[in-house]
Amino acid sequence: MKDRKTIEQKYKWNLNDIYENYDMWESDLEKFEKLTKEVPKYKGQIKNSSEKFVELELLMEKIARLLDRLYLYPYMLKDLDSTDEITSIKMQEIEMIYTKFGTETAWIAPEMLEIPEETMNEWIKKHPELEERKFGLSEMYRLRKHVLSEDKEQLLSHFSQFMGSSSDIYGELSISDMKWNTVKLSTGEEIAVSNGVYSKILATNRNQEDRKLAFEALYKSYENSKNTFAAIYRAIIQQNVASCNARSYESCLDRALENKNIPKEVYFSLVNSAQENTAPLRRYIELRKKALKLKEYHYYDNSINIVDYNKVFKYDDAKEIVLNSVKPLGEDYQAKMKRAISEGWLDVFETKNKRSGAYSINIYDVHPYMLLNYQETMDAVFTLAHELGHTLHSIHSSEAQPYSTADYTIFVAEVASTFNERLLLDYMLENSDDSLEKIALLEQALGNIVGTYYIQTLFASYEYEAHKMIEEYKAVTPDILSDIMYNLFKKYFGDSVTIDELQKITWSRIPHFFRSPFYVYQYATSFASSAKLYENLKTNPESREKYLTLLKSGGNNHPMEQLKLAGVDLTKKESFDSVAKEFDRLLDVLEEELKKINLI
């Protein structure tokens, strides 16, 4: 029994840190409902009394911290098993309660804005409890034009649960109800091609025909429901557009950027830079095609190593590799990571009905949790490093910041994750005497540039174009969405890649499109940022403290300002152009290594 418990702690989430069972969850739900009944008594009082305002702020924080646990406990259990009936019921219950609470508290923001900003600044000086909320309060005034009157806010709050229902439907369709197709590989093995299996086959199977079979099996699973996926996505865009119109944003992109105070030119500089610098991308494909001796190069050929390198990385070994790689960030950083990988914070392996992909999620009063679908490949090791970057960011932020400013924005979230990937790459290169492994690692670095910079920027353009169609009252169908995706792939890859018909359906299997609109461009901005910060670390060890300060800063400032303080300025287009230059430099190194072993 002890061995089984130990195994679960090593490889499975220990959700007892949140609640031991649903009885405890129900007990906290009663506390939540009791606390929420205290809120209405402050209506009409907070604009005339700083003491009452402080009382309400503290009460709302107490409620929010309780709600974090109440919401994420069933949310995470559902991610482990999307067919769990009890958890589905609890999830719906908390979503309805949250919606009801949102409706009942819709008066707060409009009433807060009746307080003159000058008065609020005086209150902040008077009350220490407000001092730590100073940035959030100033943001409220900056964005005041998007806050509606009390009656309108209340009306919109009635639709909040509905506004998230399309994403829930996508999750059920793409996970719970998805029928994975079975293929027979050249080895004679018959296997159902799930997302995890697909990734492993593409990364390890050197038979192009097998990769093609896996590609067709997976993408046909999505194509079979393309009309439903398109209807869901159309509904999500319509919801986004309606919400933006109601709150007087010029567009969905404006809302995504203005809420974080990101200049619009940063977004378009990223897109323009990526599209202007596709030459290294096409050079990369041509080099791989030549080295792999392929007559035609397809998108499903992107993940296979040029060299025959299928080393198996056991999870326990991967943990040690990643832990050792972060030594340049100091002993305290390593100690925090050691704790994160040893106390039931990770759910490691793919299981039936488990959510695909990987993520890190933080509960301020508990700790971060990470979901993986670990496949023992080199890419999986880098995914582990990536998610641990998020987790260590959350640990530093939670320790250094009060609850009110602990949440960092998505815009800086991917800096810590991609920074860790760079540390891992250097560590593995330095500690390898295997020329094939070094080539594989160089490919990993190049693949990261392709996947994190070019592809995510391509996806960002897709989201922008799809949303723009609804904003301009144009129709959106599966074929229209597929055409947008096809044209973008052609713009980036030209004729270097043969675009298969099924490749056009890629939009249907990108969860971020359905769950977090206008998220993906931030992978690319973060990638460019971490490249600069990493360069700073390598050339000046003292810059480590600036980087760690960034991790500790949570959401206490605008993300662009946080990055500037850490040492990177994204308002300069060369910040993005430099990624392509580094891509070309790494290609030169790879080309030389391949010549040494006569592969080209």
Side-chain angles (χ1 to χ4, degrees):
M1 193 75 178
K2 184 178 179 181
D3 289 343
R4 181 179 177 184
K5 185 176 180 181
T6 301
I7 290 172
E8 288 181 352
Q9 287 176 337
K10 285 180 68 176
Y11 304 120
K12 301 291 291 181
W13 275 340
N14 176 19
L15 296 183
N16 288 347
D17 290 347
I18 311 175
Y19 295 111
E20 292 184 9
N21 49 52
Y22 272 120
D23 288 339
M24 294 182 69
W25 185 85
E26 292 284 356
S27 177
D28 260 5
L29 186 60
E30 289 179 13
K31 292 179 186 176
F32 171 81
E33 292 176 332
K34 185 176 180 181
L35 286 171
T36 58
K37 290 177 181 177
E38 296 294 309
V39 176
K41 72 180 185 181
Y42 291 96
K43 188 173 183 181
Q45 297 189 40
I46 62 171
K47 58 187 175 181
N48 299 315
S49 168
S50 63
E51 287 76 17
K52 290 295 182 182
F53 182 81
V54 170
E55 285 179 21
L56 179 61
E57 281 289 296
L58 295 177
L59 175 61
M60 291 297 287
E61 178 177 314
K62 195 172 183 179
I63 290 170
R65 291 167 80 155
L66 198 56
L67 187 58
D68 287 348
R69 288 173 176 253
L70 288 167
Y71 180 83
L72 288 174
Y73 184 66
Y75 177 91
M76 293 166 69
L77 281 170
K78 188 169 178 61
D79 279 351
L80 295 181
D81 182 3
S82 63
T83 64
D84 184 337
E85 181 71 12
I86 293 175
T87 293
S88 294
I89 291 170
K90 298 296 184 186
M91 194 69 211
Q92 290 182 45
E93 284 179 5
I94 194 63
E95 286 177 344
M96 288 186 285
I97 290 168
Y98 182 79
T99 299
K100 179 173 176 286
F101 178 62
T103 302
E104 293 172 346
T105 56
W107 60 270
I108 294 178
E111 188 165 320
M112 286 173 69
L113 285 171
E114 290 182 31
I115 304 167
E117 190 170 2
E118 298 77 14
T119 301
M120 182 62 72
N121 289 333
E122 291 174 7
W123 289 3
I124 290 171
K125 292 176 183 177
K126 180 180 178 182
H127 298 281
E129 300 94 338
L130 297 183
E131 182 63 39
E132 67 182 39
R133 294 167 170 78
K134 183 176 181 179
F135 178 70
L137 292 170
S138 67
E139 282 294 274
M140 175 186 72
Y141 287 103
R142 183 177 70 84
L143 298 169
R144 73 175 85 188
K145 66 181 180 180
H146 304 298
V147 177
L148 308 178
S149 60
E150 180 186 338
D151 58 337
K152 291 178 181 178
E153 286 289 348
Q154 189 173 60
L155 178 62
L156 283 184
S157 70
H158 286 296
F159 294 90
S160 62
Q161 186 179 1
F162 161 74
M163 296 294 269
S165 61
S166 297
S167 296
D168 294 338
I169 295 169
Y170 175 78
E172 298 293 352
L173 180 62
S174 63
I175 302 172
S176 306
D177 294 338
M178 183 64 84
K179 306 300 180 186
W180 303 118
N181 293 310
T182 298
V183 297
K184 186 174 183 179
L185 302 176
S186 58
T187 58
E189 178 186 12
E190 292 191 16
I191 188 168
V193 183
S194 63
N195 280 296
V197 169
Y198 172 73
S199 296
K200 187 171 185 178
I201 290 174
L202 261 62
T204 62
N205 194 311
R206 303 201 65 77
N207 186 311
Q208 189 187 36
E209 190 60 30
D210 283 348
R211 297 196 297 272
K212 178 183 178 182
L213 287 172
F215 164 77
E216 290 178 344
L218 185 84
Y219 277 67
K220 282 179 181 176
S221 294
Y222 285 90
E223 188 191 38
N224 288 340
S225 301
K226 70 176 184 179
N227 291 301
T228 306
F229 281 124
I232 294 170
Y233 191 53
R234 182 170 62 248
I236 288 171
I237 300 176
Q238 289 169 337
Q239 291 161 8
N240 292 339
V241 172
S243 179
C244 289
N245 288 341
R247 295 193 175 279
S248 302
Y249 287 97
E250 291 182 18
S251 67
C252 293
L253 177 63
D254 279 285
R255 181 180 187 177
L257 298 176
E258 187 178 351
N259 284 353
K260 305 181 187 82
N261 205 25
I262 307 296
K264 197 181 292 187
E265 57 262 32
V266 170
Y267 180 90
F268 289 112
S269 288
L270 165 69
V271 171
N272 292 335
S273 177
Q275 293 183 1
E276 289 170 8
N277 288 285
T278 58
L281 179 63
R282 299 179 190 190
R283 178 190 169 198
Y284 168 74
I285 298 299
E286 293 298 336
L287 181 63
R288 284 179 54 79
K289 180 180 178 181
K290 185 177 180 181
L292 288 167
K293 297 177 171 53
L294 298 174
K295 291 182 178 179
E296 280 190 352
Y297 191 98
H298 297 257
Y299 195 70
Y300 51 76
D301 295 319
N302 262 355
S303 299
I304 192 70
N305 287 317
I306 291 175
V307 293
D308 192 1
Y309 181 82
N310 294 329
K311 181 178 178 179
V312 171
F313 290 88
K314 295 294 183 183
Y315 173 67
D316 288 340
D317 295 331
K319 287 196 302 183
E320 291 304 311
I321 292 170
V322 176
L323 183 62
N324 291 331
S325 74
V326 299
K327 186 177 179 180
L329 292 179
E331 292 181 3
D332 182 64
Y333 190 95
Q334 277 190 305
K336 286 178 169 61
M337 181 175 285
K338 192 170 185 179
R339 183 182 173 211
I341 58 179
S342 63
E343 296 189 2
W345 294 13
L346 294 97
D347 198 274
V348 179
F349 299 108
E350 184 178 33
T351 54
K352 187 178 181 181
N353 297 318
K354 179 180 175 181
R355 174 175 169 169
S356 63
Y359 67 68
S360 174
I361 196 166
N362 186 43
I363 304 176
Y364 184 82
D365 292 312
V366 185
H367 56 69
Y369 283 92
M370 286 165 284
L371 180 138
L372 302 173
N373 283 275
Y374 191 79
Q375 294 291 330
E376 299 185 340
T377 62
M378 179 185 283
D379 186 62
V381 182
F382 277 82
T383 298
L384 175 62
H386 181 103
E387 297 305 332
L388 281 168
H390 289 308
T391 294
L392 270 292
H393 193 170
S394 296
I395 293 173
H396 281 86
S397 178
S398 293
E399 288 181 355
Q401 296 293 324
Y403 179 81
S404 57
T405 54
D407 278 347
Y408 46 85
T409 63
I410 294 171
F411 195 82
V412 296
E414 297 301 337
V415 172
S417 55
T418 53
F419 194 96
N420 271 21
E421 289 188 63
R422 293 171 194 278
L423 285 169
L424 177 61
L425 175 70
D426 273 6
Y427 174 80
M428 292 184 74
L429 280 171
E430 290 167 6
N431 289 275
S432 175
D433 55 7
D434 182 347
S435 60
L436 295 184
E437 183 171 65
K438 288 182 177 181
I439 290 173
L441 285 164
L442 284 166
E443 285 196 84
Q444 181 74 35
L446 290 161
N448 280 344
I449 296 176
V450 174
T452 309
Y453 182 74
Y454 283 104
I455 296 300
Q456 299 305 329
T457 306
L458 183 156
F459 286 165
S461 295
Y462 164 84
E463 283 193 291
Y464 175 72
E465 291 188 29
H467 277 76
K468 194 174 179 183
M469 294 195 74
I470 296 294
E471 289 170 345
E472 295 176 352
Y473 305 100
K474 294 179 181 177
V476 170
T477 67
D479 288 344
I480 288 172
L481 293 174
S482 293
D483 284 344
I484 293 173
M485 189 61 71
Y486 171 79
N487 290 332
L488 284 168
F489 269 106
K490 290 296 289 184
K491 183 177 289 186
Y492 277 73
F493 290 95
D495 294 328
S496 63
V497 173
T498 299
I499 306 297
D500 296 273
E501 188 65 26
L502 284 169
Q503 184 66 34
K504 299 177 183 179
I505 202 75
T506 296
W507 56 267
S508 66
R509 63 177 295 260
I510 307 301
H512 283 108
F513 290 165
F514 296 83
R515 295 183 177 132
S516 309
F518 290 101
Y519 182 112
V520 295
Y521 85 94
Q522 294 161 112
Y523 280 113
T525 54
S526 293
F527 188 86
S529 299
S530 69
K532 174 60 177 172
L533 293 173
Y534 192 63
E535 179 187 327
N536 293 349
L537 179 69
K538 299 294 283 186
T539 56
N540 179 15
E542 292 181 5
S543 66
R544 180 175 76 183
E545 289 310 310
K546 283 188 175 183
Y547 175 70
L548 293 175
T549 298
L550 171 66
L551 301 188
K552 295 174 184 176
S553 63
N556 68 1
N557 203 341
H558 296 127
M560 290 285 290
E561 291 305 310
Q562 290 176 314
L563 289 171
K564 283 181 182 178
L565 290 172
V568 60
D569 185 355
L570 289 182
T571 61
K572 298 178 179 178
K573 187 170 176 286
E574 53 262 33
S575 296
F576 301 120
D577 292 341
S578 62
V579 176
K581 292 176 182 176
E582 174 65 4
F583 196 9
D584 251 337
R585 186 191 71 80
L586 288 173
L587 280 173
D588 290 339
V589 178
L590 178 62
E591 197 165 5
E592 288 302 312
E593 291 295 329
L594 291 173
K595 286 177 181 176
K596 289 178 184 177
I597 59 173
N598 300 314
L599 266 182
I600 58 172

